Amino acid sequence: MSEQTSSKVDFSKYFQPPSLKDARRRRRQAVQIINDFSIPEDMAAIGRGKQYLIETYGCQMNEHDTEVMAGILEKMGYHETDDPKLADVILINTCAIRENAENKVFGHIGTLKTLKLEKPGLILGVCGCMAQEEVVVNKILAKHPQVDLIFGTHNIHRLPQLLKEALFSKEMVVEVWSKEGDIVENLPQSRRGHFQAWVNIMYGCDKFCTYCIVPYTRGKERSRHPQEIIQEVRELARQGYKEITLLGQNVNAYGKDLPDLQNYGLGNLMDEIRRIGIPRVRFTTSHPKDFDDHLIEVLAKGGNLCEHIHLPVQSGSSDVLKIMGRGYTRERYLELFHKIKDAVPNASFTTDIIVGFPNETDEQFEETLSLVRECEFDGGFTFIYSPRAGTPAARMKDNVPMEVKKVRLQRLNKLMDEFSAKSNAKYQDQTVEVLVEGESRKNPEVLSGHTRTNKVVNFRGPKSLIGELVNVKITNAKMWSLNGEWQEETQGVR
Ligand code: SF4
């Protein structure tokens, strides 16, 4: 099958569907850096007087892709709207990580059918990780003719050309490349935040955990050159951004694929970024296997590097970890955890855990609980295993009934909540530095933000504090958040 597939409907005859099998291949070809993005002349003003809306599902990577697509559309003259009825272009940026995320997207595509009937000129596009899956593309082709455009994660920079095709074609336009992926620099971005920003440091993943679809939908691990990243961070600092998050599916593998830099990893990059005058630097997502000592040494230097480590463990059982293909044991994870904790004593730790992996025994689940007891995580994301078609785990027979999985999840969540409450209690009567992000979701009279350790803090204060780093004294430490009082005059502790 060719790497590139671009065509109109008549699925079998005119274009090759995306292929997870092709996407799995790692040919070790050099990564191409594409630096010549431009909008074709005939599309440069096509959006003048028109509006767009992008709906985003899933992780930070998707949120940042949305910023890039918004940037491209704005360069073409479109303006953003949050009202689907006013939109001339609606893009649904999808997530494939769990079945219920996919179901939600299909439900939503269905509801847009009426809108498309009312407004036939509307361009409705589906992109993101789901678009990389053959089953999804097939389903859209068969059941959702209201969709005008499907494009994959490797095709974002082709949005102007694809939009042009969709605007002038009567049939569905599909372009999904099942390939390892390139790096496209200099794409426009319309950042959603004015004081917090995402910065991609690498793309893709080569870990192939047996349950995960990401290496298929996002391609191979490929790192941006440090110079490009540092330049971007310097520019954000110049613009007054207060916090950046370095993004990648497996940031700890950063640099391994850079041919001209030997032994340059995430630790080296963060050591350079540490010297840039931006108050807070975070990174996500970590993989324990690649988390090295140099990064720990750099994190221990503190400064603008925030004391929050998201370290997904997935299971506390070495046997389950082996079947998951995680590349570390329970013992190795714990050793790493304690090493980081010793080096950065104030750090908070969060994690991801999957329960009910195929054939997980009671004993193996108990090992997960005992690991949680040992680590006393500040928080985390817990899930019941969700099979993803095309992954090795989806082919495994599973003897664990759903009822058992649900009970395990409840027990795990109860334990995680206890430790969340315990760690939050340590903040009682402390004064902490908070980056004020906006009004609280529950009460617009209350402001909300995060500590450096990623704790949510709610407090009352003037709206002018939004976007500022302020000091807040914690007066009520709750299970998942902290309430406090704004300290106008005092210095915060971290
Ligand atoms: S490290 Fe594993 S879980 Fe994370 S994106 Fe890669 S394959 Fe998926």
Side-chain angles (χ1 to χ4, degrees), residues 402-418:
M402 185 48 82
E403 276 316 303
V404 172
K405 295 183 190 221
K406 284 184 182 165
V407 171
R408 285 182 190 165
L409 184 66
Q410 281 167 6
R411 287 186 61 204
L412 175 62
N413 284 346
K414 191 165 171 284
L415 191 62
M416 296 284 284
D417 289 349
E418 279 172 28

Side-chain angles (χ1 to χ4, degrees), residues 32-52:
Q32 226 192 311
I33 313 283
I34 300 168
N35 237 325
D36 58 355
F37 173 83
S38 65
I39 311 260
E41 232 171 82
D42 58 345
M43 291 299 284
I46 196 98
R48 225 173 259 164
K50 294 184 183 165
Q51 305 195 62
Y52 75 90

Side-chain angles (χ1 to χ4, degrees), residues 20-33:
L20 293 182
K21 200 168 147 224
D22 275 7
R24 190 189 157 82
R25 287 202 191 121
R26 295 292 184 261
R27 298 172 182 86
R28 303 280 160 220
Q29 285 164 352
V31 173
Q32 226 192 311
I33 313 283

Side-chain angles (χ1 to χ4, degrees), residues 205-209 211-215 249-250 287 314 326:
C205 181
D206 288 340
K207 283 284 174 288
F208 288 103
C209 301
Y211 53 83
C212 183
I213 196 77
V214 168
Q249 251 85 35
N250 171 17
H287 191 296
Q314 308 300 4
R326 292 289 290 172

